[in-house]
């Protein structure tokens, strides 16, 4: 986390100099980046700071009380909250685990969301949404009937977005399946389907 | 337009159709979202925010405020029945609410929560209307340096209120400011940090950032949970007896309401603080005859009586100075800005009728909470048994579609993912997400007022600390210093005294 913060703050301090931003576009981002940079360096080096500064960087302070308690050495950055209850320790049964593949649930959620985003950009959310919802729910072994119902519901939501907010969710940047839409929606006339410019 | 005329215009707006319909929808949605631990009002509001684009600005703000208000009550359902608060602010309710449910008084506890929350909610809404003429005077005294310093003060207060390292809070707020500078500069047409990508010229939409930080990050967290909560608790007790209990303790109800509203008015503090303070105060003052922690009804009245007045209280800094008190008010502020409304003098001047409409809607939503809350109690626990595997893909679909709706820009959808991952790790490593979000939301306002101040002073930074010519700025600068360093210095002094 600190490495990311340091990298970002250096970028925001250097870029305006390299690209020669005018003063009114440069000062504010550089000032804020400087704060992030100094704060991150202090957090990174907190164990080597002299006592008064170390206390300021590592202490947990609350406005509600004057009682201050020091964060344990080396814990400030890498501390992780303890699970709130046994619910958080639960491991879900997945399609992968059936075949011996164990995938972290959070990682699976993020990767599938990124794939959904890329798929939506490439082929349009309207066509990718049912695949994403079906894939996600079936991976976690949800009842197939419920999966299909959710996929239909998600697609209807996207379709409503597309129709009422005139968004091009039926068109992708690589694949354009919009001409097939009237065929899929047999009986629905093309002009009311919507679609973007 | 006089305040009285504005009030009656606000009243007619709040009672008009479809505004009143959106109020009911928002309140119902809020109760459901609030009852889902891990979802809560900020996530729900963030998802709904882009969907309000086609709505009239007043209706949209009322819808969001109603979700917030409804979620405050909804959070208590899971807190009482499952010992898993739907919102952070309902955490204090678990202390006595869950033991009451275990003692077979779940309906009593839910009715107490409904009655105390709604009763104090509409009392606070009335007080808010009464206080607004004074607020107008205060708001009009603020200029550019004061608005800039208020933004800094807001982040500083959040840093302190959310316990942890001060430096981490400051870093999170400054990071938010930093991210807000991506895109075309405010005072010159120079694109910044866009790296030649035309899609970044408008910057990262703060609504997309809110969706990412609240909705996507929360789904990452929920991904490891089977269902929202697991409990087979039977709902016993009496709704009528529960509602009556609130009137048996009028001082507890009144005191918690005042605590809630007072703490809500402090920029940077939220219902989480107010509910715990109200609970602690009640436990302290009733220690002799209380059974706090074992199902004392006053342990439910106090936090629930404080939560909804906090909503009213937090609207004061949000609408007056653009400084939200919590994640939910940060999203509400996002909605206000997205719909072209400007917090500050305008909302208390030419747009005062909109402000009054919002206050009156809060009053009405609390009436609805009583009506709906008391009737849904027997079915309340069903909401929290939903499998997270069903919720996550739907929230992701809504989040992406909502983010794209903002500007029809794929960068906004990408920002949801990137900032969602960032938010997830910020929570894990104890960085204040609220300070970060506040930084993003207030960044453009802070930058604009920062430069205006420097233009006024001819580039002199002393404009922020000049006690003679800018006494208000000086006071605010002093307040920032006191907030950031006061507890630390006081703690150090106390320790030295103890050693001595």
């Amino acid at each position: 986390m600190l490495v990311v913060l340091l990298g970002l703050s250096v970028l925001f301090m250097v870029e305006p100099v390299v690209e020669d931003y005018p003063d009114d576009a440069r000062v504010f981002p550089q000032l804020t980046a400087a704060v992030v940079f100094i704060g991150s360096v202090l957090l990174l080096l907190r164990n080597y700071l002299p006592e008064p500064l170390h206390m300021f960087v590592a202490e947990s302070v609350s406005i509600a009380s004057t009682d201050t308690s020091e964060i344990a050495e080396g814990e400030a950055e890498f501390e992780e909250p303890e699970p709130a209850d046994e619910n958080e320790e639960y491991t879900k049964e997945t399609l992968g685990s059936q075949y011996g593949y164990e995938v972290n649930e959070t990682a699976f959620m993020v990767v599938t969301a990124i794939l959904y985003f890329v798929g939506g950009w490439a082929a349009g959310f309207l066509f990718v949404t049912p695949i994403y919802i079906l894939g996600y729910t079936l991976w976690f072994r949800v009842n197939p009937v419920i999966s299909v119902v959710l996929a239909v519901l998600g697609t209807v939501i996207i379709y409503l977005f597309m129709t009422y907010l005139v968004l091009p969710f039926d068109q992708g940047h690589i694949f354009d399946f919009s001409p097939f839409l009237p065929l899929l929606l047999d009986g629905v006339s093309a002009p009311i389907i919507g679609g973007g410019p | 337009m006089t305040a009285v005329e504005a009030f009656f215009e606000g009243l007619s707006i709040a009672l008009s159709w479809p505004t009143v319909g959106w109020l009911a929808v928002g309140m119902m949605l809020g109760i459901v979202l609030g009852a889902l631990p891990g979802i809560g009002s900020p996530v729900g509001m963030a998802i709904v925010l882009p969907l309000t684009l086609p709505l009239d600005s007043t209706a949209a703000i009322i819808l969001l405020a109603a979700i917030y208000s409804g979620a405050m009550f909804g959070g208590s359902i899971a807190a009482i029945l499952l010992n898993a608060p739907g919102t952070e602010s309902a955490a204090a309710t678990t202390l006595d609410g869950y033991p009451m449910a275990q003692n077979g008084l779940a309906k009593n506890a839910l009715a107490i929560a409904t009655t105390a929350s709604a009763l104090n909610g509409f009392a606070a809404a009335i007080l808010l209307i009464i206080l607004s003429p004074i607020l107008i005077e205060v708001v009009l005294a603020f200029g550019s340096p004061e608005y800039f310093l208020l933004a800094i003060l807001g982040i500083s207060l959040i840093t302190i209120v959310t316990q942890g390292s001060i430096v981490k809070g400051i870093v999170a707020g400054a990071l938010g400011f930093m991210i807000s500078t991506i895109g075309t500069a405010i005072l010159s047409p120079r694109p910044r940090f866009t790296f030649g990508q035309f899609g970044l010229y408008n910057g990262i939409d703060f609504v997309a950032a809110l969706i990412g930080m609240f909705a996507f990050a929360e789904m990452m967290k929920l991904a490891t949970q089977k269902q929202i909560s697991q409990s087979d608790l039977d709902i016993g007790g009496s709704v009528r007896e529960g509602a009556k209990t609130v009137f048996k303790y009028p001082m507890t109800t009144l005191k918690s309401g005042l605590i809630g509203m007072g703490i809500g008015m402090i920029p940077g503090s939220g219902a989480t603080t107010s509910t715990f303070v109200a609970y602690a105060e009640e436990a302290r003052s009733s220690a002799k005859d209380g059974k706090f922690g074992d199902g004392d009804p006053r342990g439910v009245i106090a936090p629930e009586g404080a939560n909804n007045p906090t909503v009213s209280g937090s609207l004061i800094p949000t609408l007056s100075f653009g400084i939200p008190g919590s994640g939910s008010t940060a999203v509400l502020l996002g909605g206000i800005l997205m719909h072209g409304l400007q917090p500050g003098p305008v909302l208390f001047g030419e747009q005062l009728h909109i402000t009054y409409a919002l206050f009156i809607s809060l009053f009405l939503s609390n009436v609805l909470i009583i009506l709906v809350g008391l009737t849904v109690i027997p079915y309340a626990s069903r909401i929290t048994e939903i499998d997270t595997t069903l919720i996550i893909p739907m929230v992701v679909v809504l989040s992406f579609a909502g983010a794209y709706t903002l500007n029809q820009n794929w960068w906004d959808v990408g920002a949801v993912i990137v900032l969602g991952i960032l938010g997830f790790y910020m929570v894990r490593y104890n960085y204040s997400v609220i300070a970060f979000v506040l930084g993003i939301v207030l960044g453009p306002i802070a930058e604009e007022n920062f430069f205006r101040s420097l233009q006024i002073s001819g580039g002199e930074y002393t404009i922020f600390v000049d006690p003679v010519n800018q006494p208000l700025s000086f006071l605010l600068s002093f307040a920032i210093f006191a907030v950031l360093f006061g507890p630390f210095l006081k703690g150090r002094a106390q320790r030295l005294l103890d050693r001595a």
Side-chain angles (χ1 to χ4, degrees), chain B residues 228-304:
Chain B
I228 294 295
S229 198
Q230 303 161 39
S231 175
D232 299 321
L233 196 72
D234 288 330
I235 300 185
S238 159
V239 173
R240 182 179 286 187
E241 283 304 312
K244 277 184 187 173
T245 309
V246 177
F247 297 97
K248 280 184 191 167
Y249 300 104
M251 278 310 291
T252 306
T253 311
L254 181 69
K255 194 166 58 177
S256 58
L258 290 173
I259 288 172
M261 190 157 184
I263 290 178
M265 281 160 66
I266 301 169
S269 62
T272 311
T273 312
S274 71
T275 49
F276 272 105
V277 170
Y279 181 86
E281 166 53 25
E282 189 54 35
R284 184 200 62 78
S285 60
S286 309
K288 283 180 186 172
D289 61 334
K291 290 180 182 172
F292 291 91
D294 291 326
D296 193 309
R298 286 168 294 183
V300 179
I301 295 173
E304 287 300 317

Side-chain angles (χ1 to χ4, degrees), chain B residues 98-113:
Chain B
Y98 187 62
M100 278 187 78
Q102 284 179 313
N103 295 339
L105 297 170
K107 282 183 182 171
N108 294 54
L110 285 166
I112 288 171

Side-chain angles (χ1 to χ4, degrees), chain B residues 24-41 44 66-78 86-87 228 369 372 376 379-386 391:
Chain B
V25 168
M27 205 273 309
M28 300 283 278
L29 202 57
I31 291 177
V32 174
L33 293 170
L36 299 172
I39 306 287
S41 57
I67 293 175
Y68 184 18
S69 192
M72 281 291 165
F73 162 68
S76 64
I77 294 175
T87 56
I228 294 295
I369 281 177
V372 176
V376 300
Y379 316 100
S381 64
R382 305 245 173 102
I383 297 171
T384 54
E385 291 166 9
I386 301 170
I391 292 174

Side-chain angles (χ1 to χ4, degrees), chain A residues 1-2 12 19 21 25 55 57 59 61 63 66 68 76-77 79 87 90 92 105 140 161 169 173, chain B residues 51 160 165 168 178 190 192-193 223-225 227 230 388 404 410 426 428-431 487 490 495:
Chain A
M1 185 80 192
L2 283 174
F12 273 68
E19 294 292 327
Y21 289 2
M55 298 287 272
V57 174
E59 266 188 359
V61 180
I63 201 171
T66 55
T68 56
E77 168 63 18
E79 65 199 305
N87 203 13
Y90 180 85
K92 289 177 179 175
E105 288 92 346
F140 287 108
F161 265 89
F169 282 157
H173 281 73
Chain B
L51 304 181
I160 295 292
S165 162
K168 281 188 174 181
M178 210 173 87
R190 179 74 167 81
R192 299 180 292 191
F193 313 109
T224 54
Q225 292 180 207
Q227 63 181 44
Q230 303 161 39
T388 54
Y404 185 81
W410 287 98
M426 283 181 79
R428 175 168 282 193
Y429 293 124
N430 289 333
Y431 288 83
K490 203 172 176 182
R495 219 170 294 167

Side-chain angles (χ1 to χ4, degrees), chain B residues 201-384:
Chain B
Y201 274 38
N202 283 333
I204 292 171
D205 196 298
F206 59 77
V207 180
L210 292 169
I211 295 172
M213 296 302 286
F214 290 118
F216 195 83
E218 200 60 47
M219 291 309 108
M220 284 177 69
K221 193 178 147 202
L222 276 186
T224 54
Q225 292 180 207
K226 183 180 183 293
Q227 63 181 44
I228 294 295
S229 198
Q230 303 161 39
S231 175
D232 299 321
L233 196 72
D234 288 330
I235 300 185
S238 159
V239 173
R240 182 179 286 187
E241 283 304 312
K244 277 184 187 173
T245 309
V246 177
F247 297 97
K248 280 184 191 167
Y249 300 104
M251 278 310 291
T252 306
T253 311
L254 181 69
K255 194 166 58 177
S256 58
L258 290 173
I259 288 172
M261 190 157 184
I263 290 178
M265 281 160 66
I266 301 169
S269 62
T272 311
T273 312
S274 71
T275 49
F276 272 105
V277 170
Y279 181 86
E281 166 53 25
E282 189 54 35
R284 184 200 62 78
S285 60
S286 309
K288 283 180 186 172
D289 61 334
K291 290 180 182 172
F292 291 91
D294 291 326
D296 193 309
R298 286 168 294 183
V300 179
I301 295 173
E304 287 300 317
N307 66 15
N308 243 335
T310 310
V311 177
S312 301
S314 69
L315 284 179
I316 293 174
T318 306
L319 300 179
S320 311
F321 307 115
I323 296 177
S326 61
S328 304
T329 39
V331 182
L332 183 65
L333 177 65
I336 289 169
L337 295 172
M338 191 179 86
H339 283 278
L341 303 173
Q342 196 70 33
V346 180
L347 267 183
F348 286 89
E350 59 200 73
Q351 291 175 341
L352 185 61
H353 58 289
I354 294 176
T355 309
Y356 274 132
L358 179 59
F359 294 168
I360 293 160
S361 299
L362 273 182
F363 178 86
L364 293 175
S365 68
N366 283 295
V367 177
L368 284 174
I369 281 177
I370 284 273
L371 295 175
V372 176
L374 294 178
T375 47
V376 300
I377 283 170
Y379 316 100
S381 64
R382 305 245 173 102
I383 297 171
T384 54

Side-chain angles (χ1 to χ4, degrees), chain A residues 5-14 16 26-40, chain B residues 171 174-175 177-179 181 193:
Chain A
L5 292 175
L6 281 171
L8 275 174
S9 58
V10 168
L11 177 71
F12 273 68
M13 283 191 285
V14 173
R26 177 182 61 80
V27 175
F28 192 76
Q30 280 190 328
L31 272 176
T32 53
V35 173
V36 174
F37 182 80
I38 294 166
S40 304
Chain B
V171 165
L175 182 68
F177 273 152
M178 210 173 87
I179 299 294
T181 63
F193 313 109

